[in-house]
């Protein structure tokens, strides 16, 4: 797949997001689209801004590690429903803060300030 314009780029992002929400069984097309999006972003000089919220940081980690919500919940060893709560901005407890620090490498001071 080749992304040549801003319109193609936005369409690809929408499709990729839809695939992530559905958790497809055939990952090959999704991975090809991910690579095309990444290649386009590099040619355009896109830089991901550093997130200012914990939700934003988790979404960035999901993007960087190519994880969907189910995989991130498994990595953190929490139920998917708890992760959904966190991604909706609900508070986290100390145990989850420790897991975010140890398993994702999110700095402790960021977790404390952003939570």
């Amino acid at each position: 797949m080749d992304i040549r314009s801003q319109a193609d780029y936005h369409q690809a992002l929408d499709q990729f997001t839809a695939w992530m929400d559905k958790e497809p069984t055939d990952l090959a097309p999704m991975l090809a689209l991910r690579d095309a999006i990444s290649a386009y972003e590099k040619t355009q000089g896109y830089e991901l801004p550093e997130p200012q919220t914990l939700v934003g940081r988790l979404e960035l980690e999901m993007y960087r590690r190519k994880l969907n919500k189910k995989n991130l919940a498994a990595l953190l060893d929490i139920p998917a429903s708890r992760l959904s709560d966190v991604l909706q901005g609900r508070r986290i407890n100390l145990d989850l803060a420790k897991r975010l620090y140890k398993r994702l490498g999110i700095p402790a001071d960021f977790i404390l300030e952003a939570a």
Side-chain angles (χ1 to χ4, degrees), residues 59-72:
E59 290 172 347
L60 179 61
E61 289 299 323
M62 288 173 61
Y63 174 79
R64 286 180 176 162
R65 297 166 186 255
K66 282 91 174 149
L67 296 172
N68 60 26
K69 293 173 188 174
K70 182 179 178 181
N71 298 130
L72 181 59

Side-chain angles (χ1 to χ4, degrees), residues 23 54-55 57-63 65-80 83-84 86-87 96 99-100 103-104 106:
E23 299 178 22
L54 186 58
V55 172
R57 184 62 186 256
L58 288 173
E59 290 172 347
L60 179 61
E61 289 299 323
M62 288 173 61
Y63 174 79
R65 297 166 186 255
K66 282 91 174 149
L67 296 172
N68 60 26
K69 293 173 188 174
K70 182 179 178 181
N71 298 130
L72 181 59
L75 177 66
L76 295 172
D77 197 26
I78 61 173
L83 179 60
S84 290
V86 172
L87 291 174
L96 182 54
R99 292 176 195 207
L100 295 173
R103 297 182 185 180
L104 296 179
I106 298 175

Side-chain angles (χ1 to χ4, degrees), residues 24-105:
T25 55
D26 182 13
L27 294 179
M30 186 174 173
L31 295 176
L33 183 60
R34 177 203 66 193
D35 293 343
I37 290 169
S38 180
Y40 180 80
E41 289 174 343
K42 286 179 184 176
T43 63
Q44 300 299 308
Y46 288 176
E47 294 286 328
L48 290 176
E50 286 299 315
Q52 301 299 312
T53 65
L54 186 58
V55 172
R57 184 62 186 256
L58 288 173
E59 290 172 347
L60 179 61
E61 289 299 323
M62 288 173 61
Y63 174 79
R64 286 180 176 162
R65 297 166 186 255
K66 282 91 174 149
L67 296 172
N68 60 26
K69 293 173 188 174
K70 182 179 178 181
N71 298 130
L72 181 59
L75 177 66
L76 295 172
D77 197 26
I78 61 173
S81 60
R82 177 67 179 122
L83 179 60
S84 290
D85 288 345
V86 172
L87 291 174
Q88 291 176 7
R90 295 197 178 100
R91 292 184 184 232
I92 63 169
N93 58 24
L94 182 58
D95 181 52
L96 182 54
K98 287 179 183 178
R99 292 176 195 207
L100 295 173
Y101 171 72
K102 289 180 181 178
R103 297 182 185 180
L104 296 179

